[in-house]
Amino acid sequence: MSSSPLIQVSDVCKSFDGGRTFAVRNASLAVAQGAFISLVGASGSGKTTLLKFINRLIDPDTGSVCIDGKNTVAMEITELRRSIGYVFQNAGLFPHLTVGENIGMTPQLLGWPSVKIAARIEELLDLVELPASYATRRPATLSGGERQRVGVARALAARPKIVLMDEPFGALDPITRDIVGATYRRLHNLLGLTTVMVTHDVQEAILLGDRIAVMKGGRVIALDTPRALMAGNQADDVIALMSMPKRQAEQVRVAIEPSDSQHA
């Protein structure tokens, strides 16, 4: 990883009601090249708004966002968005297009030749562990996990160095969620990506992220490795959030252990 952040979000604020309340308030986040950052926090803490600042789906009222040292407001917005992969919760595939057409959309907009696009579609289907024959299928014929894999493939189609993920696996059942999450983490490592992922699932944040950013009230109140945040040397709000997987594991242990009456 480079010494300077690939993504630098600095002291950003955003209000949607003229300044009466703030979705994000004086938040900062530095993301090193190659990092996988999990953004966690309660609903309404500002996670998705902060994520969308990075590719200018939303612009902050104040503060700045820089990529590779360049302020994003100085970049052509369409070019910026096409250079950053984005994975939505429900895949967000266009139902009237085939899987291949969905995956090849950004390369087509960038003017890639058709032969190169076709090769990239085949390559990506292999990377997300789907058969090449899926290129001609419609999204409606796929399972939820398969659609999300296609969503990941589409996000990677134009070879972005940054991928943003907004609750990417939240709509999947637990088993599929675990499998698809592990597949993406493998691709993150294989392709040398820089990933920022919003999730409500603390366990998922711990398992996938190198570092976890905890948000509350529109602010980033902690940013550290999962191990450091789980150690408990943090603010009470961070401890309460990060101890959730331990509490759940203990509840499972109690639920499955034989009771005293069963031993009698």
Side-chain angles (χ1 to χ4, degrees):
M1 294 183 187
S2 62
S3 57
S4 58
L6 177 62
I7 304 169
Q8 180 67 62
V9 181
S10 302
D11 205 29
V12 288
C13 296
K14 184 66 180 181
S15 173
F16 294 101
D17 60 6
R20 292 187 295 276
T21 59
F22 284 84
V24 174
R25 187 162 198 162
N26 303 118
S28 297
L29 179 69
V31 183
Q33 183 175 338
F36 193 128
I37 302 291
S38 298
L39 270 175
V40 301
S43 296
S45 60
K47 304 183 298 297
T48 294
T49 301
L50 184 65
L51 185 79
K52 290 180 177 180
F53 288 159
I54 297 172
N55 68 345
R56 295 191 63 196
L57 285 176
I58 298 174
D59 281 328
D61 297 330
T62 58
S64 64
V65 179
C66 293
I67 295 178
D68 256 347
K70 186 175 182 179
N71 196 311
T72 56
V73 298
M75 301 179 185
E76 203 282 315
I77 194 165
T78 302
E79 182 180 340
L80 170 68
R81 290 176 183 167
R82 290 177 184 172
S83 70
I84 297 175
Y86 201 101
V87 183
F88 301 88
Q89 179 173 359
N90 293 304
L93 303 179
F94 292 101
H96 61 289
L97 300 179
T98 66
V99 164
E101 288 167 342
N102 269 282
I103 294 172
M105 179 171 294
T106 299
Q108 184 179 37
L109 291 171
L110 292 172
W112 289 23
S114 58
V115 173
K116 183 178 178 182
I117 294 173
R120 183 62 173 158
I121 291 168
E122 184 175 353
E123 177 187 15
L124 284 164
L125 286 172
D126 182 61
L127 283 174
V128 298
E129 300 171 354
L130 290 174
S133 61
Y134 274 43
T136 58
R137 292 177 61 173
R138 302 279 179 178
T141 69
L142 309 182
S143 69
E146 288 170 340
R147 285 194 295 272
Q148 204 60 12
R149 288 174 186 270
V150 174
V152 168
R154 182 178 63 179
L156 299 177
R159 305 186 187 278
K161 57 186 175 182
I162 295 170
V163 176
L164 308 179
M165 311 182 86
D166 189 6
E167 291 283 352
F169 315 122
L172 304 178
D173 67 84
I175 293 175
T176 304
R177 181 174 187 154
D178 182 60
I179 293 170
V180 178
T183 297
Y184 179 77
R185 178 67 221 211
R186 176 180 62 80
L187 292 176
H188 169 92
N189 295 341
L190 177 68
L191 302 176
L193 302 171
T194 301
T195 301
V196 183
M197 178 185 73
V198 167
T199 179
H200 282 92
D201 189 323
V202 177
Q203 180 171 299
E204 180 175 77
I206 292 168
L207 293 175
L208 296 181
D210 305 317
R211 296 168 71 81
I212 298 175
V214 181
M215 294 194 70
K216 181 184 179 184
R219 294 180 170 90
V220 177
I221 61 172
L223 174 63
D224 215 325
T225 64
R227 181 181 295 275
L229 293 178
M230 291 288 285
N233 304 317
Q234 305 287 336
D236 290 345
D237 291 322
V238 179
I239 293 171
L241 187 68
M242 298 305 300
S243 63
M244 192 179 304
K246 290 183 179 179
R247 292 198 304 272
Q248 291 172 333
E250 177 61 17
Q251 289 167 355
V252 171
R253 185 191 67 77
V254 170
I256 65 176
E257 280 191 349
S259 65
D260 291 340
S261 61
Q262 289 175 307
H263 286 297

